[in-house]
Amino acid sequence: MFGAGYVGLVTGACFADLGHEVVIRDVVPERIERLRRGEIPIYEPGLEAVFERNAERIYFTLDVQEAVSGADFLYVAVGTPPYRLWRRPISAPSGRSSTSCPPICPAARSSS
């Protein structure tokens, strides 16, 4: 999961609750450190319990390779770009060929 904001955290927690191993990657070191300590920076009813129940299946990282390595799918849950940009095809992360990269799925937007 690329993005540890509202959409990324809720979606990642739900995937973990379904039994998947989830790696959540973000670019903000302080956010990742807080998450690693078990501090959930957003409120969603029941979310804290889902994280506690699935602590062994959810990992947090700043490293792109760690987030991509072994992934079956990549979910993108980052700030919504302007319309003209999000219409472009999403390509493989830098350093990976499109044939070795798992499918990339944009997650739902948290704003309209």
Side-chain angles (χ1 to χ4, degrees), residues 28-71:
V28 181
E30 296 80 15
R31 181 178 296 158
I32 293 298
E33 286 305 315
R34 287 183 66 199
L35 289 164
R36 286 176 176 163
R37 290 192 304 263
E39 299 173 23
I40 308 302
I42 62 169
Y43 176 75
E44 177 67 28
L47 185 62
E48 194 169 310
V50 173
F51 269 97
E52 289 172 7
R53 191 168 53 240
N54 294 285
E56 73 283 352
R57 283 193 282 269
I58 303 174
Y59 309 91
F60 303 100
T61 187
L62 293 164
D63 185 87
V64 172
Q65 291 297 3
E66 187 178 350
V68 172
S69 179

Side-chain angles (χ1 to χ4, degrees), residues 5-106:
Y6 184 89
V7 172
L9 290 175
V10 173
T11 305
C14 290
F15 285 143
D17 213 31
L18 290 171
H20 300 283
E21 295 219 0
V22 177
V23 177
I24 299 177
R25 191 260 179 181
D26 203 271
V27 297
V28 181
E30 296 80 15
R31 181 178 296 158
I32 293 298
E33 286 305 315
R34 287 183 66 199
L35 289 164
R36 286 176 176 163
R37 290 192 304 263
E39 299 173 23
I40 308 302
I42 62 169
Y43 176 75
E44 177 67 28
L47 185 62
E48 194 169 310
V50 173
F51 269 97
E52 289 172 7
R53 191 168 53 240
N54 294 285
E56 73 283 352
R57 283 193 282 269
I58 303 174
Y59 309 91
F60 303 100
T61 187
L62 293 164
D63 185 87
V64 172
Q65 291 297 3
E66 187 178 350
V68 172
S69 179
D72 293 323
F73 289 92
L74 302 177
Y75 284 83
V76 180
V78 296
T80 307
Y83 178 75
R84 71 185 195 306
L85 294 177
W86 64 261
R87 289 187 52 213
R88 295 180 185 168
I90 300 174
S91 60
S94 177
R96 293 182 59 100
S97 73
S98 60
T99 58
S100 68
C101 185
I104 300 173
C105 307

